[in-house]
Amino acid sequence: VDAHRALIAAHNADHIAVVGPGRIAGNPALGGRQMPRRPCVIEPIDCRDIRLEGFTASQRRMWTIHPTFCRDVVVKSLTIRGVGGNSDGVDVDSCQQVVIDGCDIQTGDDCVAIKSGRGMEGYRLARPSEDVLIRNCTLSDNIFACVGIGSETSGGIRNVRIERCRFVQARTYAVYIKSRPGRGAFIEDISGRDLEVHTAPGGFLRINLLNSGIRDPEPVPGDEGIPSAKNFRFTDVKVDCGTLVNGTSVSPLKPVNGLALENITGVCTGGVALAHVTNAALRNIRVRGYAGLLLTLTNVSGTGLDIR
């Protein structure tokens, strides 16, 4: 991919760190995702043992921090400010063993995005993003979701945990799990626990595996190209949001296998809408303010599906 080098770039470097205090600011004139792709602020590639701690970073209309093909990454106690479209805070791209801890992230686009490549290119590489922990963070975005899982999922995404986080503002969804046919691979073992969602007009959780993101120039063909999804679990969530959960954009050929929603309280304008889910488990959903039915289900099996 044609792209500018980041302000702070590393390739095949191990045991590296940027530790504050201080401020690192991208040049706003170089923002934007047009080609050649504009520079991130910090972008380690194929690196191991990375620590980014205790400073402020900002960029306009482009990602701020973008580790790619990295392992053992700690992003701790950062303040990240991004302005405009595509201004993601931290994009984790085909990385393993990542901790994002105690960060204050306010962006235009996703605060944190988990990715692993698009189409046959990412599918052939088969380098997943896995073992990612997002905890103790305050997240706010002005254009899209706070935590985006996908839509580039062709290398696979597994074992992402979101714990003790506050979603103080999302323009659309607090958590958005997204992909499309042609990506292939898998999204599995995604969990959230002890979360507060204060402003999310689209809703707390959106699952869209049918049409998120641009079409791949070389898609993974046929049924193999339909991403599989399993083991999503969200517990102990306090909400003040739009629709609580919208999980209707799922292929009937590959239903989501395992979706648990437990101990969810607060206010929402809409309930839970699910389609093509097996082994769903709903328990102790106590919300108010919604219009219509609390549950709208199409081809869903599991337990707790009779709650009102």
Side-chain angles (χ1 to χ4, degrees):
V1 176
D2 290 333
H4 291 285
R5 183 177 288 270
L7 176 63
I8 299 175
H11 189 209
N12 287 323
D14 295 345
H15 317 301
I16 58 176
V18 179
V19 178
R23 181 171 183 264
I24 304 170
N27 185 341
L30 294 179
R33 201 169 59 176
Q34 61 265 50
M35 291 291 112
R37 197 204 70 192
R38 300 305 176 92
C40 303
V41 176
I42 300 174
E43 190 170 42
I45 301 174
D46 277 312
C47 297
R48 182 163 184 159
D49 188 15
I50 303 156
R51 190 171 192 91
L52 307 173
E53 182 175 358
F55 58 87
T56 296
S58 62
Q59 178 61 306
R60 182 179 179 87
R61 296 185 292 115
M62 190 56 205
W63 313 325
T64 301
I65 297 173
H66 183 215
T68 304
F69 303 144
C70 293
R71 186 178 183 89
D72 300 323
V73 180
V74 174
V75 179
K76 184 174 182 180
S77 301
L78 297 192
T79 299
I80 297 175
R81 296 292 182 262
V83 179
N86 304 125
S87 62
D88 293 359
V90 182
D91 275 21
V92 177
D93 207 336
S94 293
C95 296
Q96 293 79 46
Q97 302 289 343
V98 178
V99 176
I100 301 170
D101 184 12
C103 294
D104 179 345
I105 305 176
Q106 181 178 330
T107 59
D109 214 328
D110 298 338
C111 299
V112 177
I114 314 296
K115 307 173 182 289
S116 66
R118 293 198 293 117
M120 284 303 302
E121 180 183 25
Y123 195 67
R124 291 187 188 105
L125 287 174
R127 297 186 69 169
S129 277
E130 56 188 345
D131 301 322
V132 179
L133 173 59
I134 305 164
R135 67 184 177 195
N136 304 319
C137 291
T138 299
L139 306 173
S140 174
D141 85 276
N142 293 310
I143 294 176
F144 213 66
C146 287
V147 175
I149 299 173
S151 62
E152 296 91 329
T153 60
S154 296
I157 296 173
R158 67 160 64 94
N159 195 21
V160 177
R161 293 181 291 150
I162 309 164
E163 299 181 351
R164 299 188 301 277
C165 288
R166 296 177 66 244
F167 299 81
V168 297
Q169 176 174 310
R171 178 62 181 266
T172 56
Y173 315 103
V175 178
Y176 191 3
I177 300 172
K178 48 187 174 173
S179 191
R180 66 179 305 131
R183 298 274 155 90
F186 54 84
I187 308 170
E188 61 189 37
D189 302 322
I190 311 297
S191 67
R193 179 175 63 86
D194 194 8
L195 309 178
E196 294 183 20
V197 180
H198 293 284
T199 304
F204 159 55
L205 174 64
R206 174 83 160 107
I207 301 170
N208 177 5
L209 307 181
L210 290 183
N211 54 23
S212 179
I214 62 176
R215 293 184 181 275
D216 302 307
E218 185 185 4
V220 181
D223 289 354
E224 188 177 3
I226 301 172
S228 64
K230 69 177 183 180
N231 298 339
F232 299 165
R233 183 178 184 86
F234 295 90
T235 63
D236 302 319
V237 182
K238 298 177 182 178
V239 300
D240 185 354
C241 66
T243 297
L244 185 60
V245 177
N246 182 345
T248 59
S249 298
V250 176
S251 171
L253 299 177
K254 289 189 179 180
V256 173
N257 181 9
L259 170 62
L261 303 170
E262 183 174 354
N263 297 338
I264 299 178
T265 59
V267 179
C268 58
T269 61
V272 176
L274 302 176
H276 312 305
V277 178
T278 62
N279 297 309
L282 278 56
R283 182 174 180 271
N284 197 26
I285 297 177
R286 295 180 295 146
V287 291
R288 65 188 189 278
Y290 58 89
L293 299 174
L294 177 58
L295 293 182
T296 304
L297 307 175
T298 302
N299 189 28
V300 177
S301 63
T303 61
L305 305 182
D306 56 350
I307 61 174
R308 295 290 184 269

